[in-house]
Amino acid sequence: MLKKIFHYIPRFFSSKDMIVYLTAVILLSVLAFFGFGKLAFAYQNAQDTKEKIADMTAFVDDWNQQVIKLNQEPYRPVREDQVDDVQSNILLLMAANQLSMNSFKSIQDASQKKPSGSLYEMEVEGPWESTVRILGNFHVRDALLAIQNVKLSPVKNGGVKTILEYKIYTKPSAQPSQGK
Amino acid sequence: MIGIYLSPDETQIVQAKYKNKKLKVELCAVLEPYLDSLKKCDVNFLIALFQRLQQSINVFYEEFYIVLPDSTFLLLDCYDARSDDEEEKMTTVETRLNRTREEFYAAFPLTLQSGTRHKETMIAIDRAMIDALITAAKAAHITLVSVEPASFAYLRCARQWRKEYYLLEAFQNEAVMIAFSPIAGMFRLSVPELAVSGQANSNLEQTLQSVLSRCDAIANRTFEIINTETPVTILAQEREDAAIRLAAALRNRTAKQTGFPEFAESDIEESEQKNFIIPLGGLLPAIEQEESDLYASVPEILHVRPANVLPQDVRLESHLRQVKRITKKYSKILCGALSAILALQLAGILYFNSIVIPTALQTDYDKAQSQMETVKKETELIKSSKTEHQYPIEALTGLLSNRPQNLGFTSIEIGRKGATAGKEQDKKWITFIAKSNDPMVFRDYATQLGDNFLFRGINISQISTDTSGLKSATVFIGKGTVR
């Protein structure tokens, strides 16, 4: 039987069109086989890319939300180079409210390992009303300030001596801008 | 598979499929006779027959089994053989026909070997006729696999190999009698006097008696042993009331013609089945492997081989052409399907490769990544500022809103220097020193301060008297709910 099969194999392929057809089938089969591999690979890549796009979109949305929220804050930390300007305005504020400055110094913020701003102590003297006004409106534009300690004591001329410890918060790095 | 019986009077077609141990007969049809075309080796007419079939039925996958009347064959006889040598057998045929082997095709379907008895049944047919058939089949793309005599097709279908009988093939203008013996073989006797056209003769009884006597005598001589009154099966004679069937000479010798085998399923009436028994028997070789009981009753001393006169090479060539045709057909379909698959794959690959991260998103993402840390830190700073800020004005407002008239503050400290924001800072949020002439004032004031949600944990740490006689109290106040 095998001999007969081998005898007829050359006759089976004797016609050119048989060779052409079978070659075409084999070639297309091989291409289809590799095509499936390539398709699977492309599909997997596409899935990974979609996942990455989703993650990136979520990250960007989250960042946008945070920036919007941050930009809505009325008071924000200032740049390092703006601290002196804020400080000058505080002094002007004191002067504008008839409070005379007795002393002013910069102090180390020992409470935190990484200082989040510049800490100052100022001693002023003046009328009670002015002192209360200052304490209630201790702002310089949109600079983030915090009064950490206030010591009030009466003085002989009817005024109040105020020792004020305050912090001017400074930004950790460059100003963020909102994405698209 | 398709069986075609080319009888002198008509052409019978049977198409069947073998599945699940059943032979489903799908078509039984009758066409006009084409035997004369075969005898004249008219290839075109034979092609016309095949093309006519192709118009009605799908023959692409079918194998064709041709059955010819025994009268068509040059020789159908049983002889005493001396050996099994094929060469000697062919020489015997050449001698009997007085022709060279290039002029005929032969087959030796039956061999009896019992002791010293060795009989061979030989059949031979004109080569030109078969070659014409082969040429027509090739031209019409038909897979021709078998050409055999009608008697053998009938024997195979009847599956009664242990009985002796005569088969009368009676046609309009010719008739032959085939004698079969299970202990010898077969031979053919020409009996033109029993042709249908001559049966209306008033001497039918005598003619019949004479033919039967002649058959018996020859059978005795050829087979050596034969039963008297061997039953006669009348083939190819449709009418049940034909005179020959009613003849007295056959009254006790007529054998009932067999119908389709049990494994054959057909929609045609059982009475009609006997009309197509021969073409059906012709295609049974296709299922010989599956239906082993076709030859189950063959006596051990009798060896049955195919009565197919078609040369082996021709059969294999035919099969090869069929395989080529099928291969080409399915190759085309496969190429089309694979091309479509490749096109889909390409489309899919292009589509999936088009899914990339948008440039704008990448830019925003890079920017967000670089600035997220800063944003978080700044947000944290703003949050922590709310904890670090001591709300002095709220504290002062709370203290002064319920200050008794006879109580004065000597110092107020809001926030604890050096203390970290949190519980420690909140416990002693405010420290004040107040003076009054009435020590109870301090207690009343402390009670009033305790009612304010701003303050929690009012603690008068000490009350002392100063040099002027005024009472001085040092009070610590914890932070309650501020804003």
Side-chain angles (χ1 to χ4, degrees):
Chain A
M1 182 68 177
L2 271 175
K3 270 189 185 174
K4 281 182 182 165
I5 291 170
F6 285 128
H7 173 66
Y8 281 96
I9 281 176
R11 296 171 82 166
F12 187 79
F13 290 105
S14 62
S15 54
K16 276 185 186 172
D17 51 350
M18 284 302 302
I19 297 172
V20 167
Y21 279 121
L22 290 175
T23 305
V25 166
I26 291 167
L27 193 66
L28 288 172
S29 300
V30 168
L31 285 173
F33 176 75
F34 284 111
F36 272 120
K38 189 82 181 147
L39 182 67
F41 183 71
Y43 172 76
Q44 191 54 48
N45 274 351
Q47 292 302 106
D48 292 344
T49 303
K50 277 185 183 176
E51 222 174 281
K52 206 168 175 185
I53 288 172
D55 290 343
M56 286 168 76
T57 306
F59 185 83
V60 170
D61 287 345
D62 178 44
W63 175 73
N64 278 332
Q65 291 296 322
Q66 293 207 28
V67 168
I68 289 170
K69 204 172 164 184
L70 190 61
N71 287 336
Q72 285 172 347
E73 289 287 342
Y75 304 108
R76 291 180 60 180
V78 299
R79 296 195 305 272
E80 294 274 356
D81 60 328
Q82 290 175 319
V83 171
D84 289 340
D85 181 54
V86 172
Q87 185 54 56
S88 304
N89 278 287
I90 290 172
L91 293 174
L92 285 172
L93 187 68
M94 297 298 174
N97 285 276
Q98 291 105 45
L99 293 173
S100 63
M101 188 180 69
N102 294 339
S103 68
F104 168 78
K105 64 180 177 183
S106 168
I107 54 178
Q108 290 293 326
D109 188 353
S111 63
Q112 292 178 346
K113 288 179 186 175
K114 283 186 185 177
S116 53
S118 304
L119 201 58
Y120 300 97
E121 188 184 271
M122 184 188 288
E123 187 183 306
V124 294
E125 213 175 284
W128 169 251
E129 295 80 11
S130 298
T131 304
V132 169
R133 193 163 46 244
I134 286 293
L135 290 175
N137 290 293
F138 195 70
H139 300 298
V140 174
R141 296 191 292 273
D142 61 349
L144 184 66
L145 308 172
I147 298 173
Q148 294 192 338
N149 186 267
V150 174
K151 196 167 182 181
L152 302 154
S153 54
V155 292
K156 284 181 184 170
N157 61 5
V160 172
K161 182 175 84 175
T162 307
I163 302 173
L164 186 67
E165 188 179 292
Y166 62 91
K167 183 188 273 189
I168 302 174
Y169 289 88
T170 50
K171 288 184 191 301
S173 65
Q175 177 82 20
S177 59
Q178 186 177 345
K180 292 177 187 171
Chain B
M1 41 210 170
I2 294 176
I4 301 179
Y5 178 33
L6 295 170
S7 81
D9 298 337
E10 61 187 13
T11 301
Q12 294 175 355
I13 318 287
V14 168
Q15 184 185 24
K17 271 190 173 42
Y18 188 74
K19 199 175 177 184
N20 298 331
K21 294 280 188 186
K22 289 288 177 189
L23 184 70
K24 178 90 173 83
V25 178
E26 295 177 339
L27 173 77
C28 290
V30 173
L31 302 175
E32 61 273 20
Y34 279 83
L35 186 62
D36 276 345
S37 306
L38 179 64
K39 285 181 178 175
K40 291 174 191 169
C41 301
D42 191 333
V43 175
N44 291 329
F45 256 94
L46 293 171
I47 293 173
L49 166 63
F50 293 135
Q51 287 175 344
R52 197 170 157 189
L53 286 175
Q54 283 168 336
Q55 284 167 4
S56 316
I57 50 181
N58 183 7
V59 301
F60 191 82
Y61 300 104
E62 301 289 10
E63 294 175 337
F64 279 68
Y65 297 80
I66 307 291
V67 181
L68 300 175
D70 290 69
S71 56
T72 316
F73 289 77
L74 296 171
L75 178 67
L76 199 163
D77 202 5
C78 180
Y79 71 98
D80 289 309
R82 283 183 296 192
S83 73
D84 281 328
D85 185 43
E86 288 298 318
E87 184 58 35
E88 199 176 304
K89 291 180 191 176
M90 288 300 287
T91 307
T92 306
V93 177
E94 283 177 320
T95 307
R96 285 288 298 270
L97 292 176
N98 197 23
R99 294 187 187 195
T100 61
R101 62 190 67 186
E102 286 74 27
E103 295 173 86
F104 61 83
Y105 288 122
F108 301 90
L110 298 172
T111 301
L112 175 94
Q113 273 185 319
S114 172
T116 55
R117 291 180 79 220
H118 181 187
K119 289 193 180 291
E120 289 284 345
T121 299
M122 54 189 171
I123 57 176
I125 193 166
D126 183 44
R127 183 176 278 226
M129 261 201 296
I130 300 300
D131 287 346
L133 200 56
I134 292 166
T135 305
K138 197 171 175 180
H141 305 295
I142 292 293
T143 307
L144 187 63
V145 295
S146 171
V147 176
E148 65 173 13
S151 56
F152 212 83
Y154 180 82
L155 282 176
R156 189 186 296 114
C157 210
R159 293 169 297 153
Q160 292 171 352
W161 299 94
R162 288 182 181 269
K163 290 184 179 177
E164 298 161 331
Y165 39 89
Y166 296 149
L167 298 173
L168 175 62
E169 291 178 31
F171 304 107
Q172 198 62 34
N173 299 311
E174 60 184 75
V176 292
M177 187 79 85
I178 312 298
F180 169 76
S181 168
I183 57 169
M186 288 165 65
F187 71 86
R188 180 190 62 189
L189 188 64
S190 182
V191 290
E193 58 271 40
L194 290 181
V196 173
S197 56
Q199 287 178 12
N201 193 328
S202 58
N203 289 330
L204 180 62
E205 286 288 346
Q206 275 182 345
T207 306
L208 203 47
Q209 199 69 336
S210 163
V211 165
L212 288 172
S213 298
R214 191 151 55 96
C215 275
D216 290 339
I218 295 172
N220 254 317
R221 198 171 57 243
T222 308
F223 296 152
E224 292 162 22
I225 305 165
I226 186 82
N227 287 322
T228 55
E229 306 286 308
T230 300
V232 177
T233 303
I234 301 172
L235 303 177
Q237 182 97 44
E238 279 190 27
R239 292 181 58 185
E240 286 293 330
D241 60 347
I244 192 166
R245 288 187 189 275
L246 302 171
L250 290 180
R251 198 162 291 150
N252 296 321
R253 292 185 73 168
T254 307
K256 191 184 172 190
Q257 190 177 332
T258 188
F260 286 174
E262 300 85 40
F263 54 81
E265 289 177 343
S266 172
D267 292 332
I268 65 169
E269 294 288 327
E270 209 171 308
S271 56
E272 288 291 311
Q273 287 179 5
K274 58 178 169 49
N275 294 333
F276 295 95
I277 201 76
I278 291 171
L280 184 78
L283 52 81
L284 288 183
I287 59 170
E288 273 178 2
Q289 299 292 330
E290 291 84 356
E291 291 293 336
S292 55
D293 68 339
L294 284 176
Y295 302 104
S297 62
V298 173
E300 279 180 19
I301 56 173
L302 185 69
H303 301 284
V304 179
R305 287 188 292 276
N308 188 359
V309 293
L310 212 59
Q312 173 87 340
D313 275 353
V314 172
R315 279 180 260 156
L316 289 173
E317 274 292 332
S318 211
H319 273 123
L320 186 69
R321 279 200 305 276
Q322 186 187 36
V323 169
K324 269 188 176 179
R325 272 200 312 275
I326 294 172
T327 304
K328 274 187 196 174
K329 181 186 176 187
Y330 282 107
S331 294
K332 282 182 194 172
I333 294 170
L334 204 54
C335 281
L338 286 170
S339 299
I341 288 170
L342 278 171
L344 287 172
Q345 283 177 348
L346 189 64
I349 289 167
L350 288 172
Y351 169 71
F352 289 132
N353 281 344
S354 72
I355 298 174
V356 293
I357 299 172
T359 312
L361 178 62
Q362 186 65 54
T363 308
D364 285 347
Y365 179 75
D366 293 340
K367 189 198 288 183
Q369 264 204 319
S370 65
Q371 295 181 357
M372 184 62 106
E373 204 52 44
T374 311
V375 168
K376 282 184 178 174
K377 280 182 184 173
E378 193 170 321
T379 307
E380 274 304 308
L381 277 181
I382 295 172
K383 193 175 164 188
S384 68
S385 73
K386 291 180 170 61
T387 314
E388 290 176 355
H389 184 60
Q390 295 305 309
Y391 303 95
I393 201 66
E394 286 82 0
L396 283 175
T397 306
L399 286 176
L400 297 174
S401 60
N402 294 308
R403 183 182 70 83
Q405 287 292 330
N406 54 349
L407 184 139
F409 296 104
T410 57
S411 82
I412 299 173
E413 184 176 357
I414 302 167
R416 296 272 295 173
K417 264 200 172 193
T420 53
K423 285 185 181 173
E424 197 189 331
Q425 182 74 284
D426 290 350
K427 266 185 192 173
K428 292 182 180 176
W429 178 32
I430 302 169
T431 307
F432 71 78
I433 302 172
K435 288 198 174 181
S436 178
N437 52 5
D438 182 0
M440 294 307 293
V441 167
F442 300 124
R443 195 154 289 133
D444 293 339
Y445 183 45
T447 306
Q448 281 179 347
L449 288 176
D451 293 338
N452 191 334
F453 63 87
L454 275 173
F455 308 121
R456 191 177 56 185
I458 319 293
N459 180 25
I460 304 172
S461 75
Q462 70 171 35
I463 299 176
S464 61
T465 309
D466 67 3
T467 51
S468 61
L470 285 172
K471 306 293 178 193
S472 173
T474 305
V475 178
F476 298 110
I477 303 176
K479 191 188 278 184
T481 309
V482 180
R483 291 188 183 176

